[in-house]
């Protein structure tokens, strides 16, 4: 279940050959289904574990390639970002102690990664979105240097026709623009695979669409992005927006996004999905042409359908159809459930898997054809509600009956999941343990996201925002290593004695980003009023595109007042009094270097810029507050 290798072929003739081969792959798959080539009568499961790499300050660490040199290639691979890593689990039959075996393999692989990471002063964190992520971490220098990733980025940016936008409203509101696809790298998942036969694919896929909503509601673990409290599963909104390659005119036409839940039920076959995706989405990347799959079938050989799989890998359905070849050489079909976030612990992840596979097994018989019991719109609406509200969502279930999703899970779905696992002859100890975790989590309403929201609420306005999100990540990482499921965790809190020098190493950890700014053509009275109202001594001046063009300081106002400009007949503009070339730094500038800059130039603030655009400001007051806090803690500890 590992990723396909991609060879980028920019030549137009080769691109046309790729499309030709992809269409042949579809015809070959149709023939294989009709002639009985697809494996039936066996239920296999599998998973992919994505994870974050962080440094000792718990910020993203671009160490993936360094770690991969020492990890088994059969199990570990790259992701889009250098601060992500992926581990692929071996397929298992859905029977006996498969969940204990899955948990053991996950624990072993993560322990391997942690051991190698520790040797490089790096940690592993399992979460849907890392709380300490910030925009400076999302530049192209953090992209894994593999040609296919760069080509994918370039093509998507070109198709988008400009910046990628993200606007998500939750407890806070986040609006951001980004000039590459690295926003997608904020997401890490625990992806589940479920093997089905060709004849049962349509019903199984439709059922997966239905159960995705309660499954996600019980497993949400991505509540924050760029220090904003958003959806219970913010990945859903972020992933969709970060890979939206549509031009504005396509948005107006209602063209479907590459990341989607879909628009309708599958009627008969997996081929409907493949054909629809080929019709809607052009190939972003290509593979070197291989032998005709139809010729291989004529010789009795199972074709890899590489071109079709390649295209399928660039269309991001939350339940994705998959074709593959088992170790025994048989072709098979899978449903890849992509909705679950990574973490909070291995125990939680395997519990989510048991819940999913149990529902898929039992509800196939209990519900039969779900398209007769649910409208597609209700299934889709349930999914969005789960992402936004987690266990606080309400959903329409069989024949439109409304449920609170926690009650639905407790009273209906866990019972069916248990029956399904029993029917598959899963060990009773595994059933009790893992479905018990889901039951207790739902009863307590303490998902990974709710734990994070509650932790942030309990910390209130203590310390700085960066300290609170760091404390959240530190507590998460510590609890993950212990392995206890998330509903048993105590809330995160700021340490009484902060010994983490790493919290203050760079300007990005200290700077203020909630800024009051003016434009050059504003009157100076506006800048002066802002300084009085908000108790400021420095007001950055930016243009309409966010570029820093100057700085108004208390000193510059006093200087121009003494020169008589403030009493001029015509209003004085900001551009006339501002410092036009202020000394600046970047978010990555070390704190010590920032202090030296301010001493050298005898200034009391540094605007912080990224690619010429204003990102924040750091002032002598920030250093005074930090020094006072550290001094107070040092004296109290004496």
């Amino acid at each position: 279940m590992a990723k396909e290798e991609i060879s980028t072929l920019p030549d137009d003739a080769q691109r046309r050959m790729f499309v030709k081969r992809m269409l042949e792959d579809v015809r070959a798959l149709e023939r294989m289904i009709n002639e009985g080539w697809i494996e039936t009568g066996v239920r296999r499961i599998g998973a992919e574990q994505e994870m974050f790499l962080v440094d000792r300050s718990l910020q993203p660490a671009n160490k993936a390639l360094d770690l991969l040199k020492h990890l088994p290639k059969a199990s570990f691979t790259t992701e889009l970002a250098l601060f992500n890593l992926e581990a692929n689990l071996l397929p298992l039959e859905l029977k006996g102690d498969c969940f204990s075996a899955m948990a053991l393999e996950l624990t072993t692989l993560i322990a391997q990664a942690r051991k190698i990471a520790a040797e490089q002063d790096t940690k592993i964190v399992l979460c849907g979105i890392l709380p300490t992520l910030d925009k400076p971490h999302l530049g192209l220098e953090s992209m894994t240097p593999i040609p296919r990733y760069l080509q994918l980025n370039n093509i998507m940016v070109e198709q988008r026709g400009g910046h990628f936008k993200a606007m998500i409203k939750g407890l806070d509101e986040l609006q951001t623009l980004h000039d590459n696809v690295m926003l997608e790298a904020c997401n890490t998942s625990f992806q589940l695979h479920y093997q089905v036969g060709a004849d049962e694919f349509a019903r199984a896929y439709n059922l997966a669409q239905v159960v995705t909503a309660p499954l996600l509601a019980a497993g949400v673990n991505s509540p924050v992005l760029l220090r904003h409290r958003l959806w219970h599963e913010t990945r859903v909104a972020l992933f969709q927006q970060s890979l939206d390659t549509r031009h504005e005119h396509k948005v107006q036409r209602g063209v479907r996004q590459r990341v989607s839940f879909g628009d309708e039920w599958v009627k008969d076959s997996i081929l409907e999905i493949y054909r629809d995706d080929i019709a809607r989405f052009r190939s972003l990347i290509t593979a070197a042409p291989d032998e005709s799959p139809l010729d291989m079938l004529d010789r009795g050989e199972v074709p890899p359908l590489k071109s079709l799989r390649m295209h399928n890998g660039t269309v991001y359905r939350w339940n994705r159809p998959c074709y593959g070849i088992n170790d025994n050489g048989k072709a098979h079909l899978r449903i890849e459930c992509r909705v679950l976030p990574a973490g909070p612990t291995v125990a939680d992840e395997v519990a989510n898997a048991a819940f999913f596979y149990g529902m898929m097994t039992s509800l196939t018989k209990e519900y039969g054809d779900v398209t007769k019991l649910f409208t597609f719109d209700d299934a889709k609406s349930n999914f969005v509600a789960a992402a936004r509200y987690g266990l606080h969502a309400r959903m329409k279930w069989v024949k439109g009956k409304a449920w609170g999703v926690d009650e639905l899970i407790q009273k209906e779905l866990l019972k069916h999941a248990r029956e399904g696992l029993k029917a598959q002859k899963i060990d009773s100890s595994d059933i009790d343990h893992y479905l018990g975790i889901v039951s207790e989590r739902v009863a307590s309403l303490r998902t990974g996201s709710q734990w994070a929201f509650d932790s942030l609420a309990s910390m209130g306005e203590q310390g700085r925002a960066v300290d609170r999100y760091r404390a959240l990540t530190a507590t998460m990482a510590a609890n993950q290593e212990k392995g206890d499921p998330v509903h048993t965790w105590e809330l995160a809190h700021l340490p009484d004695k902060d010994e983490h020098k790493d919290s203050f190493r760079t300007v990005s950890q200290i700077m203020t980003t909630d800024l009051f700014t003016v434009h050059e053509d504003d009157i100076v009275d506006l800048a002066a009023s802002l300084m009085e109202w908000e108790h400021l001594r420095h007001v950055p001046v930016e243009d309409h595109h966010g570029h820093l063009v100057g700085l108004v300081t208390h000193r510059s106002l006093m200087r121009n007042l003494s020169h008589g400009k403030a009493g001029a007949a015509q209003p004085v503009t900001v551009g006339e009094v501002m410092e036009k070339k202020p000394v600046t730094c970047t978010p990555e500038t070390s704190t010590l270097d920032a202090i030296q800059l301010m001493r050298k130039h005898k200034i009391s603030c540094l605007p912080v810029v990224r690619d010429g655009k204003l990102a924040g400001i750091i002032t002598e007051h920030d250093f005074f507050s930090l020094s006072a806090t550290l001094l107070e803690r040092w004296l109290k500890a004496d």
Side-chain angles (χ1 to χ4, degrees):
M1 297 177 185
K3 292 188 173 104
E4 299 299 312
E5 273 304 310
I6 299 170
S7 300
T8 58
L9 297 172
D11 180 81
D12 287 343
Q14 291 175 314
R15 189 176 296 278
R16 288 190 290 269
M17 177 57 71
F18 173 81
V19 174
K20 180 177 185 297
R21 189 68 78 229
M22 180 169 57
L23 297 176
E24 286 184 354
D25 283 352
V26 174
R27 292 197 293 274
L29 180 58
E30 181 177 20
R31 177 174 159 187
M32 293 171 73
I33 291 172
N34 292 336
E35 295 178 4
W37 288 64
I38 305 300
E39 187 175 37
T40 60
V42 61
R43 281 279 186 265
R44 289 194 185 87
I45 62 173
E48 300 171 35
Q49 174 73 72
E50 298 172 353
M51 58 197 84
F52 280 101
L53 308 177
V54 299
D55 59 22
R56 56 185 178 178
S57 67
L58 298 176
Q59 296 189 77
N62 293 341
K63 291 282 192 175
L65 297 183
D66 296 327
L67 269 61
L68 285 170
K69 293 176 185 176
H70 307 283
L71 290 168
K73 290 182 173 59
S75 300
F76 290 90
T77 187
T78 60
E79 271 292 323
L80 176 63
L82 285 167
F83 50 74
N84 293 147
L85 201 61
E86 180 184 297
N88 292 285
L89 277 65
L90 294 171
L92 298 167
E93 285 197 43
L94 184 60
K95 65 180 183 180
D97 65 348
C98 62
F99 295 119
S100 291
M102 177 182 281
L104 178 60
E105 185 178 11
L106 268 173
T107 302
T108 301
L109 290 172
I110 293 169
Q112 283 182 293
R114 282 192 174 124
K115 181 177 182 296
I116 299 302
E119 294 171 1
Q120 304 196 34
D121 208 15
T122 303
K123 289 180 176 289
I124 302 292
V125 178
L126 304 180
C127 57
I129 300 175
L130 187 68
T132 52
L133 262 172
D134 207 348
K135 283 196 73 173
H137 303 127
L138 303 176
L140 290 180
E141 67 277 2
S142 292
M143 180 181 285
T144 302
I146 295 176
R148 68 175 181 269
Y149 290 143
L150 186 58
Q151 186 192 23
L152 193 64
N153 174 76
N154 293 340
I155 292 172
M156 284 188 162
V157 170
E158 181 181 358
Q159 287 194 356
R160 183 71 182 84
H163 289 77
F164 292 88
K165 301 176 183 178
M167 184 176 74
I168 308 171
K169 293 183 179 181
L171 280 175
D172 303 320
E173 179 178 322
L174 173 68
Q175 294 190 52
T176 187
L177 292 175
H178 206 55
D179 59 1
N180 61 60
V181 299
M182 286 293 287
L183 277 171
E184 189 273 330
C186 296
N187 305 295
T188 61
S189 308
F190 181 63
Q191 298 165 10
L192 300 175
H193 292 255
Y194 183 68
Q195 183 175 329
V196 297
D199 292 342
E200 61 182 340
F201 181 89
R203 283 199 175 192
Y205 185 86
N206 290 334
L207 177 59
Q209 294 280 74
V210 167
V211 303
T212 286
L215 172 71
L216 179 60
V220 289
N221 190 35
S222 310
V224 297
L225 171 64
L226 305 180
R227 296 203 290 273
H228 289 69
R229 300 163 301 166
L230 302 170
W231 291 12
H232 279 250
E233 193 53 43
T234 305
R235 282 173 51 255
V236 169
L238 176 63
F239 194 41
Q240 185 167 312
Q241 295 181 37
S242 65
L243 292 180
D244 187 359
T245 59
R246 300 172 301 171
H247 263 289
E248 188 63 32
H249 71 280
K250 289 189 176 182
V251 175
Q252 296 301 322
R253 279 166 38 199
V255 174
R256 186 194 297 163
Q257 294 170 273
R258 281 186 177 267
V259 179
S260 80
F261 186 80
D263 293 323
E264 59 186 359
W265 301 117
V266 176
K267 295 180 178 62
D268 298 306
S269 167
I270 189 175
L271 292 168
E272 295 169 35
I273 303 177
Y274 283 138
R275 288 167 177 163
D276 186 55
D277 287 345
I278 291 171
R280 291 181 184 277
F281 304 111
R282 295 179 63 84
S283 301
L284 296 180
I285 46 183
T286 59
D290 52 359
E291 186 178 359
S292 166
L294 299 172
D295 291 344
M296 294 184 69
L297 286 176
D298 288 341
R299 295 199 305 268
E301 299 175 12
V302 178
L305 307 187
K306 185 165 68 173
S307 298
L308 179 63
R309 292 163 74 179
M310 192 70 61
H311 181 267
N312 189 50
T314 64
V315 180
Y316 306 94
R317 291 175 180 260
W318 289 108
N319 286 301
R320 177 189 274 168
C322 295
Y323 166 91
I325 302 174
N326 295 329
D327 290 340
N328 60 14
K330 290 223 172 224
H332 71 272
L333 303 179
R334 305 188 310 276
I335 298 167
E336 180 188 19
C337 178
R338 301 167 50 81
V339 301
L340 289 169
T345 66
V346 167
D348 286 301
E349 291 179 328
V350 178
N352 294 337
F355 186 35
F356 174 65
Y357 295 131
M359 287 192 290
M360 288 297 295
T361 302
S362 173
L363 296 181
T364 300
K365 298 176 182 177
E366 181 70 20
Y367 290 171
D369 183 358
V370 295
T371 67
K372 300 184 186 316
L373 302 175
F374 297 81
T375 69
F376 188 86
D377 286 348
D378 282 344
K380 192 172 186 176
S381 177
N382 289 345
F383 170 69
V384 175
R388 288 182 67 93
Y389 306 115
L391 288 174
H392 303 288
R394 288 191 63 80
M395 297 183 179
K396 285 187 179 179
W397 207 244
V398 174
K399 297 182 178 178
K401 180 179 178 180
W403 291 80
V405 69
D406 59 325
E407 185 182 18
L408 173 65
I409 293 170
Q410 288 283 64
K411 291 187 175 180
E412 292 286 324
L413 298 181
L414 279 171
K415 174 182 65 177
H416 290 306
R418 181 175 290 274
E419 291 169 356
L421 297 181
K422 282 183 178 178
Q424 287 296 131
K425 296 182 170 47
I426 303 297
D427 287 356
S428 59
S429 57
D430 271 11
I431 296 175
D432 292 342
H433 179 60
Y434 290 110
L435 291 187
I437 289 174
V438 175
S439 178
E440 291 171 14
R441 187 198 307 152
V442 173
S444 66
L445 298 178
R446 180 58 65 81
T447 58
S449 289
Q450 194 61 57
W451 172 84
F453 279 135
D454 291 347
S455 294
L456 290 169
S458 72
M459 286 186 273
E461 297 300 316
Q462 299 174 48
R464 303 169 301 154
V466 67
D467 295 326
R468 296 192 292 272
Y469 284 97
R470 188 179 189 282
L472 190 70
T473 308
T475 306
M476 187 187 303
N479 284 328
Q480 286 170 1
E481 294 204 37
K482 293 177 184 175
D484 297 329
V486 69
H487 68 271
T488 67
W489 292 5
E490 293 185 3
L491 297 181
H493 62 274
L494 290 172
D496 294 330
K497 182 180 179 182
D498 192 349
E499 298 176 345
H500 300 112
K501 296 178 184 177
D502 301 309
S503 296
F504 319 114
R505 288 189 179 275
T506 65
V507 165
S508 66
Q509 296 170 285
I510 302 172
M511 69 184 185
T512 298
T513 57
D514 184 14
L515 304 176
F516 294 94
T517 66
V518 291
H519 292 167
E520 282 187 86
D521 53 359
D522 287 330
I523 60 173
V524 76
D525 307 62
L526 175 61
S529 297
L530 282 178
M531 296 169 84
E532 178 186 357
W533 297 338
E534 302 298 333
H535 308 289
L536 305 173
R537 296 183 64 82
H538 317 88
V539 177
V541 186
E542 60 182 344
D543 65 17
H544 293 283
H545 301 289
H547 294 95
L548 179 73
V549 295
L551 182 70
V552 177
T553 67
H554 186 266
R555 181 185 300 175
S556 65
L557 281 181
M558 295 301 294
R559 181 173 61 246
N560 285 282
L561 179 64
S562 68
H563 292 168
K565 285 191 177 181
Q570 295 297 321
V572 179
T573 66
V574 165
E576 294 179 73
V577 304
M578 70 182 187
E579 297 179 13
K580 291 187 165 67
K581 294 183 179 180
V583 180
T584 64
C585 65
T586 70
E588 295 75 29
T589 301
S590 75
T591 304
L592 290 177
D593 286 345
I595 292 171
Q596 291 300 320
L597 270 175
M598 292 170 71
R599 282 178 175 170
K600 176 181 176 182
H601 295 279
K602 297 180 180 180
I603 53 179
S604 55
C605 87
L606 283 171
V608 185
V609 296
R610 182 190 301 118
D611 298 327
K613 293 186 177 181
L614 186 64
I617 195 169
I618 187 167
T619 70
E620 60 185 1
H621 178 72
D622 295 318
F623 288 119
F624 177 81
S625 298
L626 177 58
S627 301
T629 299
L630 295 175
L631 180 61
E632 183 180 4
R633 291 175 183 173
W634 177 65
L635 290 173
K636 284 182 177 179
D638 191 4

